[in-house]
Amino acid sequence: VYRFCIGVQFEVTRDTNLKARLAKLDKLIKLLPSTLEVSSAASGDAHGVEATGEETATELATKLQSALEGAAEAPGGQVLQGSDYFADNHETMLQEIGVAQAPPDGVASSADAGRASTAATLPAPAAPEPAAAPAPPPPAPPEPLPEPTPVPPPAAPPPPAPAAPSPSAPAVPGASCSGLTSLAEQFGVSAPSGSTWLAMFSAVAEQLPHAVAITDMKTPGLPVTFANSAMVALTGYPKDEIEGRNCRFLQGKKTEAAAVRAMVSAIRRSKPQTVKVTNYRKDGSSFQNVLSLLPVVDSSGEYRFNVGVLADGARLGSEGDALEKLRAAVPRSFDAALQPQRFDASLKQVGEDAQRKQWRQSMVKFTRLLWSADWEGSMRQIVMNQDALQTFGQWLAEKAPSDAMQLELIVNTMQLGAMPPEQAGPMAMQMCQQLFGQEAGSPEEAMSGLANMAEQALRSLAAESFPKFVQSKACLPLVEQLLGGAADEVRLADGLIWPQYEVAPDVAGWVHSFASVACALPACIVISDMAMPGNPMLFVNDEFCRVTGYERHEAQGRNCRFLQGPRTEPQSVAVIQDTLRRGVDCHVKITNYRKSGELFENLLTMRPVHDSNGVYRFCIGVQFEVTRDTNLKARLAKLDKLIKLLPSTLEVSSAASGDAHGVEATGEETATELATKLQSALEGAAEAPGGQVLQGSDYFADNHETMLQEIGVAQAPPDGVASSADAGRASTAATLPAPAAPEPAAAPAPPPPAPPEPLPEPTPVPPPAAPPPPAPAAPSPSAPAVPGASCSGLTSLAEQFGVSAPSGSTWLAMFSAVAEQLPHAVAITDMKTPGLPVTFANSAMVALTGYPKDEIEGRNCRFLQGKKTEAAAVRAMVSAIRRSKPQTVKVTNYRKDGSSFQNVLSLLPVVDSSGEYRFNVGVLADGARLGSEGDALEKLRAAVPRSFDAALQPQRFDASLKQVGEDAQRKQWRQSMVKFTRLLWSADWEGSMRQIVMNQDALQTFGQWLAEKAPSDAMQLELIVNTMQLGAMPPEQAGPMAMQMCQQLFGQEAGSPEEAMSGLANMAEQALRSLAAESFPKFVQSKACLPLVEQLLGGAADEVRLADGLIWPQYEVAPDVAGWVHSFASVACALPACIVISDMAMPGNPMLFVNDEFCRVTGYERHEAQGRNCRFLQGPRTEPQSVAVIQDTLRRGVDCHVKITNYRKSGELFENLLTMRPVHDSNGVYRFCIG
């Protein structure tokens, strides 16, 4: 019989102790009971545990690790509740325990659960007496306990507890029910027949024209007990697919969460309720179900059944009166004798001897749980007890002989420690000779060495073999021996258990002993009763109260779903529901809420407990809270300051080399503080831009795997593999070999006041006289006209399709003129425009998609995607566009009216005569019309010209616009080094501050800034300076001055000059740290700091030093940004944050620079990451919302702060708080993005 469920919550912390804590959790869970011995007959139906082969075969450690990684997969075919389904759980809980307490789930005791609807709210109980303490780690017996309080004997049993009834209850001769007879008469159907009330109700309901179902409230999971033929007709499900299932199978994607919550609340509280809810038939069609829930009690007030009357809302007009009549006619009570309960409370009655036996057996098992709280401490106790030592030694000799030698070393060392020194010394020397193969230098050295080895051996045994011994059956006799007579009498743990809960006598020993032991455990432990409606928690321990913030009386008597809230994962809830139903262990990570409303990640373990009759009685829950490390706040503060120093513009002395980019920042983005944005991102507050359809998470599934394939056995060319001179030939570029180890980059200036370390002789950037090959630049449809322009390819296309010859002054204009006349949908994209928006779409595309031209042109074509768009098809398209490869795919797209169609899309890259990748032509077709249009489409694909004379479409912005002289480069280098040196200071504000106060010029500049901006902090700086000056004076001069300063500062004299100097030094140190935390970073971020940095750099910043060893070898740095790029790379290389730079003018926006920290965190080598878009860090669990935010902010050219799940090279997930800073040049051209 399924009796209880033990829950263990483990707060997942991302700290260095996680692995060790998980190992402890593993050992604790292995000690949790899954069965309990009872001496009674079966008090309920035997529960068939439904464990899958995989669940049985998988190690516990593997299950925990999988759960920790969030691998919550909903059971096959189960429809998940949306997250809004859980939105009110936390809020409802606060309302219930606050101003107006509502009765908790299962508020009625086991004797009066049927009267839950009228039960009063629970007041907070008086503070319970301390529970009897269970046995501590051996060998000491348990501390003295109060005199045992006997459990009430069978002669005076508690009120009967509810037990699961059965439709096959004993027959009642001549059974009749006036309520059912009246129902039959009102609807003109045959009188009820059957030997039980349920059988009679079913006979009447089967004849009704309205859908009716009934649920037995004593059956765990509340499956439908009976459904009539009208329900079969309404839903399309046959009876055998309805009966035996909880009716939630009718729910689906559009089922209203509020309606479901109303139904659940009504069922739990035995309240009649009518709701309108969207349900789904077997064929997938939806209907509005007007559902009435009618609770039915027996004559003793026991809540026995719930009748559901279902109706199609579309037919409510014609059936409304009849339905109202039916709801009123359904009987709401019956004579209990008509439906006897097969399992009544008397089955759980046992004598005192049986209770004592169960208590003792349980205490023996549960004392081991106490030991698990401190394996090492328990192990130390074990070796102090001769009997325990012998038992453990025998087990080791059989199970782990090598560890038996470690135990022998511990015992021998202990014996040596008990001997007189003159006897112990020679023996220690001898033991060292045997163990180490050499003599110790002295007896003392020998004793010390042995003690160290024994300590290591003890810790090793406590980590592995001792827990295995404790988990084994061999340990049970030992624990029983150590407990002695302390476990002979049952001690009630009433102060720890829900006061309204009646502990059944047949499990009293187990429940009270478990509660006594679990109360003090350092993990969150709860027990739920699986036989009561709502499965309320009858016990929660102290740690549960501490972690969740709820008092014991607020949590007990309720289902633990009150910990759920808006961000609770539907997948995790589905896993919990499925495993609880099947009675198997559950390990899942779930977002829960504390009483305060604070979220926490909970690694939840649930252990079903069946009694020895197979009855599902309890469930034990263990919670493990996932917390961030203690340094998070300080690290965020550092990050905030670092980001404020990142550049958003860069000065160039060249003419505009591209179109000015209009930054599209919203008012909220502009007004919100950076710290607020970071915190919001850290909390995962990624909201997709309004109206944008998100990619499903499977869209990112292959990104990580693809990256490994590309850098592994067969490297594919990275995004943007072609240099700026030959990006158009990316499709034929060879894969990138790993470059030779680069020379160390020139070191940028360290924190002031010291000048930069000596650098190699400057390598001048190639002068304009010998410019690098021209880099591609963004073309424009309005390029200069070419007189008499013509293109044989476009002329041929027009002739083949019988349309007017091309006209226009550029290739793009001529192509557009021809395409507009074609009967097939065509779009063209300019490959030099950031974001790849559609440049031109013809009228046939308007007809196909329903979007007007002005809603197509200027937008990336991803707006045609939707929920059912195939991720694999999208990946194929993206890859083909990036690599300049022709590709035809079938992909589900969506018209403006929301209807879907299968788009047979052909992508045709077009290059100019220099090999430059200029355009991509898309030919779209409705797959439903492919049969009639297939040949014509094939003809069109073949006819689209794939190249043209570059003179027909001149590029308005060519590489010559980026040529500047050496003087301009030097000026840019120096200006950039001045700005970027401040980034280096941000890596260690305190260290940089210490350097500042050692430099007279720096001190004066900082002091002037403080006097103006933060006068109170100027006094702190003065204290630091005065204390430094005192430290430089002779003691006889410094002492009196220190005494005088103390008098001024503290208002009292110091006891001595030394005390005065010490006090001032401490105050100065505190002042320095305070300035380094607040005012100094603000000063460094200000313009007032720039002249100081320039002065400190001196002549070291006069010549450009190339950072070629740090930059993507295939990347051609444009001369007009050379100083900026090389200086930034030199400085950023050594920063402790992951820093990358991407070129926004190149297809795919490849990373031209990644720093050392990026390589360390991601696991990729520099040559593996550079030249690629950073999307290779994405994978199956990458959040679509976060990707949408990145795409949107990059397009608009504004800062981005978002939390995103990324993947290391090893495949390990990590949470990445990503900041992206767009960089425009002084002409407004969008050049780079710093990540």
Side-chain angles (χ1 to χ4, degrees):
V1 179
Y2 198 172
R3 299 293 288 266
F4 302 102
C5 185
I6 300 173
V8 182
Q9 295 184 13
F10 181 99
E11 185 173 6
V12 187
T13 59
R14 306 300 184 185
D15 55 30
T16 53
N17 295 324
L18 180 61
K19 189 173 181 181
R21 291 174 60 223
L22 269 180
K24 281 189 175 183
L25 179 67
D26 178 289
K27 292 162 187 167
L28 183 149
I29 291 169
K30 286 176 179 172
L31 291 173
L32 292 178
S34 58
T35 59
L36 66 100
E37 281 292 325
V38 295
S39 53
S40 58
S43 59
D45 287 314
H47 176 264
V49 176
E50 302 175 36
T52 65
E54 183 180 4
E55 287 170 331
T56 304
T58 306
E59 288 290 321
L60 173 60
T62 305
K63 293 178 182 176
L64 288 175
Q65 190 60 43
S66 176
L68 186 65
E69 292 170 359
E73 295 183 9
Q78 180 166 335
V79 176
L80 300 182
Q81 297 290 356
S83 58
D84 59 342
Y85 175 74
F86 318 110
D88 293 347
N89 286 5
H90 173 254
E91 191 64 33
T92 301
M93 175 63 170
L94 296 188
Q95 293 170 357
E96 290 186 357
I97 66 173
V99 180
Q101 288 191 8
D105 301 317
V107 67
S109 71
S110 54
D112 60 6
R115 293 181 286 277
S117 58
T118 58
T121 56
L122 294 179
E129 292 295 314
E143 298 176 12
L145 297 170
E147 284 301 305
T149 306
V151 174
S166 168
S168 57
V172 180
S176 66
C177 173
S178 59
L180 291 176
T181 301
S182 172
L183 172 64
E185 290 172 351
Q186 290 185 58
F187 281 83
V189 299
S190 302
S193 61
S195 56
T196 65
W197 185 87
L198 179 59
M200 291 188 286
F201 177 88
S202 302
V204 173
E206 178 60 27
Q207 306 172 68
L208 297 175
H210 308 292
V212 174
I214 189 168
T215 296
D216 186 332
M217 295 306 296
K218 304 303 179 193
T219 305
L222 301 184
V224 173
T225 305
F226 166 81
N228 69 355
S229 297
M231 183 169 177
V232 172
L234 175 64
T235 66
Y237 287 94
K239 285 195 178 190
D240 60 357
E241 292 184 19
I242 299 175
E243 294 169 358
R245 298 173 71 184
N246 184 289
C247 61
R248 72 170 64 91
F249 72 87
L250 293 174
Q251 297 170 19
K253 287 188 176 180
K254 293 185 179 178
T255 297
E256 300 79 6
V260 175
R261 287 196 296 270
M263 290 189 288
V264 171
S265 177
I267 292 169
R268 285 185 200 141
R269 303 185 190 290
S270 182
K271 295 284 188 182
Q273 178 84 47
T274 296
V275 297
K276 291 182 179 179
V277 60
T278 300
N279 278 171
Y280 290 79
R281 299 182 176 89
K282 185 173 183 179
D283 63 9
S285 61
S286 64
F287 68 101
Q288 188 182 53
N289 183 3
V290 181
L291 172 65
S292 295
L293 298 168
L294 307 171
V296 180
V297 299
D298 65 20
S299 52
S300 70
E302 194 76 42
Y303 184 10
R304 298 292 299 275
F305 299 101
N306 200 295
V307 175
V309 178
L310 303 81
D312 187 344
R315 298 165 59 190
L316 204 57
S318 59
E319 298 181 358
D321 293 341
L323 287 167
E324 194 59 45
K325 176 182 172 183
L326 175 58
R327 294 179 194 120
V330 169
R332 303 289 299 286
S333 63
F334 63 88
D335 186 342
L338 291 177
Q339 190 77 39
Q341 299 194 53
R342 189 172 65 180
F343 304 113
D344 61 34
S346 65
L347 294 174
K348 296 180 181 178
Q349 298 303 320
V350 296
E352 287 188 39
D353 289 342
Q355 292 180 13
R356 289 192 193 97
K357 179 181 177 183
Q358 186 186 63
W359 163 270
R360 184 174 185 86
Q361 290 174 339
S362 300
M363 281 303 295
V364 168
K365 293 179 180 178
F366 297 154
T367 294
R368 300 185 302 167
L369 272 178
L370 267 189
W371 295 3
S372 75
D374 181 10
W375 291 112
E376 197 173 309
S378 302
M379 175 71 191
R380 291 183 191 282
Q381 295 286 346
I382 278 284
V383 298
M384 299 295 290
N385 181 283
Q386 192 58 43
D387 292 334
L389 197 59
Q390 184 177 352
T391 305
F392 183 34
Q394 290 171 347
W395 184 87
L396 281 177
E398 181 184 346
K399 302 292 184 181
S402 60
D403 285 352
M405 296 172 63
Q406 294 198 65
L407 184 63
E408 186 178 351
L409 169 64
I410 295 168
V411 172
N412 291 339
T413 304
M414 287 170 57
Q415 291 172 345
L416 284 177
M419 293 179 182
E422 62 275 8
Q423 185 181 353
M427 292 188 69
M429 297 282 282
Q430 183 180 352
M431 283 180 65
C432 282
Q433 178 68 41
Q434 294 170 348
L435 290 169
F436 307 135
Q438 60 183 30
E439 284 192 0
S442 66
E444 292 77 13
E445 186 180 323
M447 288 293 288
S448 175
L450 289 172
N452 288 337
M453 282 196 70
E455 180 66 18
Q456 291 175 19
L458 187 143
R459 290 178 178 171
S460 173
L461 289 175
E464 291 293 334
S465 288
F466 181 57
K468 290 178 181 175
F469 163 68
V470 173
Q471 292 160 12
S472 71
K473 291 182 179 179
C475 183
L476 294 177
L478 170 62
V479 183
E480 189 156 0
Q481 177 186 342
L482 294 169
L483 284 173
D488 287 341
E489 294 294 339
V490 179
R491 272 94 174 187
L492 301 186
D494 281 348
L496 303 175
I497 293 172
W498 178 29
Q500 275 76 3
Y501 183 73
E502 198 94 46
V503 180
D506 70 331
V507 293
W510 185 92
V511 169
H512 288 288
S513 61
F514 186 89
S516 298
V517 171
C519 183
L521 287 176
C524 301
I525 309 281
V526 305
I527 311 176
S528 299
D529 188 322
M530 299 307 291
M532 292 185 68
N535 308 135
M537 294 182 292
L538 60 106
F539 166 81
V540 301
N541 73 346
D542 295 343
E543 185 68 359
F544 176 92
C545 296
R546 185 194 69 79
V547 168
T548 65
Y550 290 99
E551 299 292 329
R552 183 172 277 113
H553 72 273
E554 293 173 336
Q556 287 178 342
R558 303 175 188 275
N559 184 290
C560 63
R561 70 174 60 87
F562 65 78
L563 295 175
Q564 298 167 11
R567 294 190 190 160
T568 297
E569 300 82 358
Q571 298 93 328
S572 300
V573 175
V575 169
I576 293 169
Q577 291 172 338
D578 175 66
T579 50
L580 275 181
R581 179 187 62 78
R582 294 186 292 118
V584 297
D585 279 13
C586 168
H587 308 283
V588 68
K589 188 175 73 171
I590 186 169
T591 298
N592 279 166
Y593 288 68
R594 306 188 208 279
K595 181 179 178 180
S596 63
E598 177 191 1
L599 285 81
F600 66 101
E601 285 184 288
N602 178 9
L603 180 57
L604 177 65
T605 291
M606 301 191 80
R607 164 66 54 82
V609 180
H610 297 74
D611 69 16
S612 48
N613 293 309
V615 179
Y616 199 171
R617 300 289 290 267
F618 302 103
C619 187
I620 301 173
V622 182
Q623 296 180 12
F624 178 109
E625 184 183 3
V626 187
T627 61
R628 313 300 179 186
D629 63 73
T630 54
N631 295 323
L632 180 62
K633 189 173 181 181
R635 288 170 54 225
L636 269 180
K638 281 189 174 182
L639 179 64
D640 178 289
K641 292 161 187 167
L642 183 149
I643 290 169
K644 286 176 179 173
L645 291 173
L646 292 178
S648 58
T649 59
L650 67 100
E651 281 293 327
V652 295
S653 55
S654 58
S657 59
D659 285 311
H661 176 262
V663 177
E664 300 176 34
T666 65
E668 183 180 2
E669 288 169 330
T670 305
T672 306
E673 288 291 321
L674 173 60
T676 306
K677 293 178 182 176
L678 289 175
Q679 191 60 43
S680 177
L682 187 65
E683 292 168 359
E687 295 183 9
Q692 178 166 335
V693 177
L694 300 182
Q695 297 290 356
S697 57
D698 58 342
Y699 176 75
F700 317 110
D702 294 345
N703 285 4
H704 174 254
E705 191 63 33
T706 301
M707 175 61 170
L708 295 188
Q709 293 169 358
E710 289 185 358
I711 65 172
V713 179
Q715 288 191 5
D719 302 322
V721 68
S723 71
S724 54
D726 60 5
R729 295 179 285 277
S731 59
T732 58
T735 56
L736 295 180
E743 293 294 314
E757 296 177 11
L759 296 171
E761 283 301 304
T763 306
V765 175
S780 166
S782 57
V786 180
S790 65
C791 172
S792 58
L794 289 176
T795 301
S796 173
L797 172 63
E799 290 173 351
Q800 291 185 58
F801 281 83
V803 299
S804 303
S807 61
S809 56
T810 64
W811 186 87
L812 179 59
M814 291 189 286
F815 177 88
S816 302
V818 173
E820 178 60 27
Q821 306 172 68
L822 297 176
H824 308 291
V826 174
I828 189 167
T829 296
D830 185 332
M831 295 305 296
K832 303 304 178 190
T833 304
L836 301 185
V838 174
T839 306
F840 166 80
N842 69 355
S843 297
M845 183 169 176
V846 172
L848 175 64
T849 66
Y851 286 93
K853 284 195 179 190
D854 60 356
E855 292 185 19
I856 299 174
E857 293 170 358
R859 297 173 72 184
N860 184 290
C861 61
R862 72 170 65 91
F863 72 86
L864 293 174
Q865 297 171 20
K867 286 188 176 180
K868 294 185 179 178
T869 297
E870 300 80 4
V874 175
R875 287 195 295 270
M877 290 189 289
V878 171
S879 177
I881 291 169
R882 285 186 201 141
R883 303 185 190 290
S884 183
K885 294 285 189 183
Q887 177 84 46
T888 297
V889 297
K890 291 182 179 179
V891 59
T892 300
N893 278 170
Y894 290 79
R895 299 182 175 89
K896 186 174 183 179
D897 63 9
S899 62
S900 64
F901 68 101
Q902 189 182 53
N903 183 3
V904 181
L905 173 65
S906 294
L907 298 168
L908 307 170
V910 181
V911 299
D912 65 20
S913 52
S914 70
E916 194 76 45
Y917 184 9
R918 299 291 299 277
F919 298 101
N920 201 295
V921 175
V923 177
L924 303 80
D926 187 343
R929 298 164 58 189
L930 204 57
S932 59
E933 298 181 358
D935 293 341
L937 287 166
E938 194 58 44
K939 177 182 172 184
L940 175 58
R941 293 179 195 118
V944 169
R946 302 290 299 286
S947 63
F948 62 88
D949 186 342
L952 291 177
Q953 191 77 39
Q955 298 192 52
R956 190 171 64 180
F957 304 113
D958 62 35
S960 65
L961 294 172
K962 296 179 181 178
Q963 297 303 319
V964 296
E966 287 188 39
D967 288 344
Q969 292 179 14
R970 289 191 193 97
K971 179 182 178 183
Q972 186 187 62
W973 162 271
R974 185 173 185 86
Q975 290 173 338
S976 299
M977 281 303 295
V978 168
K979 293 180 179 178
F980 298 154
T981 295
R982 300 185 302 168
L983 273 178
L984 268 189
W985 296 2
S986 76
D988 181 10
W989 291 112
E990 196 173 309
S992 302
M993 175 71 190
R994 292 183 190 282
Q995 294 287 341
I996 277 284
V997 298
M998 299 295 291
N999 181 283
Q1000 193 58 41
D1001 293 333
L1003 197 59
Q1004 183 178 352
T1005 305
F1006 183 33
Q1008 290 171 347
W1009 184 88
L1010 280 177
E1012 181 184 346
K1013 302 292 184 181
S1016 61
D1017 285 353
M1019 296 172 64
Q1020 294 198 64
L1021 184 63
E1022 186 179 351
L1023 170 65
I1024 295 167
V1025 172
N1026 291 339
T1027 305
M1028 287 170 56
Q1029 290 172 345
L1030 284 177
M1033 293 178 182
E1036 62 275 9
Q1037 185 181 354
M1041 292 187 70
M1043 297 281 282
Q1044 184 180 351
M1045 283 180 66
C1046 281
Q1047 177 68 40
Q1048 294 170 349
L1049 291 168
F1050 306 134
Q1052 60 182 30
E1053 285 191 1
S1056 66
E1058 292 76 14
E1059 186 180 322
M1061 289 294 288
S1062 174
L1064 289 172
N1066 288 338
M1067 280 195 71
E1069 179 66 18
Q1070 291 175 19
L1072 187 144
R1073 290 178 177 170
S1074 173
L1075 289 175
E1078 291 292 335
S1079 288
F1080 180 58
K1082 291 178 181 176
F1083 164 68
V1084 172
Q1085 293 160 13
S1086 72
K1087 291 182 179 179
C1089 183
L1090 294 176
L1092 170 62
V1093 183
E1094 189 156 1
Q1095 178 186 342
L1096 293 169
L1097 283 173
D1102 288 341
E1103 295 293 338
V1104 179
R1105 272 93 176 192
L1106 301 187
D1108 281 347
L1110 303 174
I1111 293 172
W1112 179 29
Q1114 276 77 358
Y1115 184 72
E1116 198 96 46
V1117 180
D1120 70 331
V1121 294
W1124 186 91
V1125 169
H1126 289 289
S1127 61
F1128 186 90
S1130 298
V1131 171
C1133 184
L1135 287 176
C1138 302
I1139 309 278
V1140 306
I1141 311 177
S1142 297
D1143 188 322
M1144 298 306 291
M1146 291 185 68
N1149 309 134
M1151 295 183 292
L1152 60 106
F1153 166 81
V1154 300
N1155 73 346
D1156 294 342
E1157 184 70 357
F1158 176 91
C1159 296
R1160 185 193 69 78
V1161 168
T1162 66
Y1164 289 99
E1165 299 292 329
R1166 183 171 277 115
H1167 73 274
E1168 294 173 335
Q1170 287 177 342
R1172 302 176 189 275
N1173 183 289
C1174 63
R1175 69 175 59 87
F1176 64 79
L1177 295 174
Q1178 298 167 12
R1181 294 188 188 153
T1182 297
E1183 300 82 358
Q1185 297 94 325
S1186 299
V1187 175
V1189 169
I1190 293 169
Q1191 291 171 340
D1192 175 65
T1193 50
L1194 276 181
R1195 178 187 63 78
R1196 294 186 292 120
V1198 296
D1199 279 13
C1200 169
H1201 309 283
V1202 68
K1203 187 176 74 172
I1204 186 169
T1205 299
N1206 280 166
Y1207 287 68
R1208 306 188 208 278
K1209 184 178 178 180
S1210 64
E1212 178 190 3
L1213 287 80
F1214 67 100
E1215 285 184 292
N1216 178 9
L1217 181 57
L1218 175 67
T1219 289
M1220 302 189 80
R1221 164 66 55 83
V1223 180
H1224 298 72
D1225 70 17
S1226 49
N1227 293 309
V1229 180
Y1230 197 171
R1231 300 293 288 269
F1232 301 104
C1233 185
I1234 300 173

